[in-house]
Amino acid sequence: MSQDNDKKKQVRVWCDGCYDMVHFGHANSLRQAKALGGYLIVGVHTDEEISKHKGPPVFSQQERYKMVRGIKWVDEVVEGAPYVTTLDTLDRYGCDFCVHGDDITMTADGVDTYHLVKSAGRYKEVSRTAGVSTTDVVGRMLLLTREHFRQGEREYEVSRESSSTMGLDSTARSPWTRCSQFLPTTSKIIHFSDGKEPKPGDKIVYVAGAFDVFHVGHLDFLEQARKLGDFLIVGLHTDPVVNRYKGSNYPIMNLHERVLSVLACKYVSEVVIGAPYAVTKDLMEHFKVDVVCHGKTHISPDIDGRDPYLEPKAQGKFVTIDSQNDMTTEKIVNRIIMHRLEYEERNRNKEKKELAAYEAHMKNIQSKVPCSNHCSNSKLNSSIGGSQPTNVSN
């Protein structure tokens, strides 16, 4: 092993945040942070701290701790991390620097939560993942106006009707909260995939489903499934198929959003993108499947009325898993709908603070005479105390 690799393994990286409604954007940020060092420690804020500075979280702190621990790039989780990142926190856990995305987070008083580590030169940035944010996901649930499950050229579109009710003016929204159309690429999937094949003699487990808005119920189920073998393959149904058996406006997240969220789970070895609803003999032979699992939830019949697990049951390879967790995507939606006004107010306040910071930055830029192209094109966070973004693949 080279000296460079030895040195890199010694670097300890700190990240922190709310990690509410954990999605592939959070996972991608942590993936990039891990790439800057050898050991990644993630601090997660308490419900009390989040409610004070941001508004009520959707998930409890225990649920959020578990979700972050389930992300495959995370080495350690610190529960109840302070909302404002201090040098004392970095030193206590032996971290060389703190990493955050190139957006901004603020306290209830509008103070940059990373100003202390930025001033000390112990702060690095990674690129925010375009096309997703917690605010956006909550907005989708509040409005339930998705169109992305439709087949054809609009399959991966996400309705943005939320701009008139979830934010301020649709033409002047926060550049961090604003969410562009998600554009799936092979590079994004490659970054998330381990790229490992099953080893000879490995016991291969297969599960399939929607895995929409990846949550603790999914996490506990996949943990139990992985215990049944050595290599866990997750089949993800297409958006039209999920819409057929879930109905209404499901799925909340489109197919490739769901692929990245599942690939980020440490229990998952491989994902089948657009898996058939019925687990066929051909599928089982192709992937050399030893065990097929399903949770203790309702199994909708296939379009022909047959049991989609008929083949693995006939082969004696079907197992029902009791994950001891009854969380579902529908329950998450109900949580949000029940507290609709609180979450709408939370999202509005978040955008208001971000817009104020952005407008202050623009006024500051306009009041200065550009000294060079480098000055005029500098990143927003460097002008408010942040470092230049680190060149890490996003």
Side-chain angles (χ1 to χ4, degrees), residues 39-334:
Y39 192 84
L40 178 61
I41 302 176
V42 182
V44 183
H45 310 316
T46 63
D47 295 343
E48 182 180 4
E49 283 280 272
I50 297 172
S51 296
K52 175 183 176 182
H53 295 286
K54 194 174 181 179
V58 177
F59 286 101
S60 71
Q61 59 197 42
Q62 294 301 326
E63 291 170 326
R64 292 183 290 105
Y65 299 154
K66 179 183 286 188
M67 285 297 293
V68 175
R69 285 193 175 95
I71 296 174
K72 63 185 176 185
W73 298 287
V74 176
D75 295 300
E76 183 180 337
V77 169
V78 173
E79 300 180 1
Y83 204 79
V84 174
T85 309
T86 65
L87 296 177
D88 178 63
T89 298
L90 297 189
D91 292 340
R92 185 182 310 146
Y93 295 98
C95 294
D96 298 271
F97 51 83
C98 170
V99 176
H100 190 259
D102 55 2
D103 54 348
I104 187 171
T105 61
M106 291 171 283
T107 67
D109 299 324
V111 176
D112 182 352
T113 59
Y114 296 104
H115 73 282
L116 296 173
V117 290
K118 286 178 178 178
S119 297
R122 294 174 68 181
Y123 174 84
K124 294 179 184 288
E125 283 180 356
V126 293
S127 299
R128 176 184 177 275
T129 304
V132 68
S133 72
T134 298
T135 304
D136 172 66
V137 175
V138 171
R140 297 188 205 183
M141 295 184 185
L142 286 171
L143 292 174
L144 290 178
T145 54
R146 263 72 52 210
E147 297 176 340
H148 57 265
F149 53 76
R150 296 183 181 179
Q151 296 188 56
E153 64 180 7
R154 304 184 68 183
E155 182 170 357
Y156 299 108
E157 291 184 10
V158 176
S159 173
R160 298 299 170 209
E161 294 175 25
S162 58
S163 61
S164 61
T165 57
M166 291 303 299
L168 301 177
D169 181 70
S170 61
T171 62
R173 299 183 68 205
S174 160
W176 300 294
T177 297
R178 183 178 61 237
C179 189
S180 61
Q181 179 181 346
F182 174 65
L183 300 174
T185 63
T186 54
S187 65
K188 284 188 175 70
I189 295 174
I190 290 170
H191 288 319
F192 274 57
S193 175
D194 290 334
K196 297 178 181 178
E197 298 287 337
K199 299 187 295 293
D202 276 356
K203 187 175 183 180
I204 298 174
V205 181
Y206 180 80
V207 302
F211 294 93
D212 193 17
V213 188
F214 198 77
H215 53 69
V216 289
H218 296 137
L219 187 66
D220 286 341
F221 169 72
L222 292 175
E223 180 181 13
Q224 294 303 316
R226 180 57 181 265
K227 290 178 180 178
L228 296 178
D230 308 294
F231 195 89
L232 176 61
I233 301 175
V234 178
L236 286 172
H237 301 144
T238 65
D239 298 343
V241 168
V242 175
N243 183 243
R244 175 174 61 79
Y245 68 78
K246 286 283 189 182
S248 188
N249 293 299
Y250 294 96
I252 304 294
M253 311 292 283
N254 72 41
L255 175 60
H256 284 151
E257 290 176 313
R258 293 183 282 118
V259 166
L260 294 182
S261 294
V262 172
L263 275 175
C265 176
K266 66 181 182 182
Y267 306 117
V268 176
S269 307
E270 183 62 284
V271 166
V272 179
I273 304 172
Y277 185 64
V279 181
T280 64
K281 182 178 180 181
D282 287 344
L283 182 148
M284 295 180 68
E285 290 179 349
H286 179 80
F287 292 108
K288 299 179 174 59
V289 175
D290 297 294
V291 181
V292 175
C293 305
H294 192 274
K296 297 187 73 173
T297 55
H298 173 69
I299 299 176
S300 298
D302 200 355
I303 196 166
D304 60 4
R306 301 177 69 187
D307 181 351
Y309 293 102
L310 197 61
E311 180 61 33
K313 286 178 179 178
Q315 295 187 27
K317 295 182 177 181
F318 181 80
V319 175
T320 299
I321 292 177
D322 184 0
S323 67
Q324 303 293 318
N325 191 322
D326 63 356
M327 177 61 70
T328 64
T329 302
E330 291 78 8
K331 286 186 177 182
I332 296 170
V333 172
N334 287 336

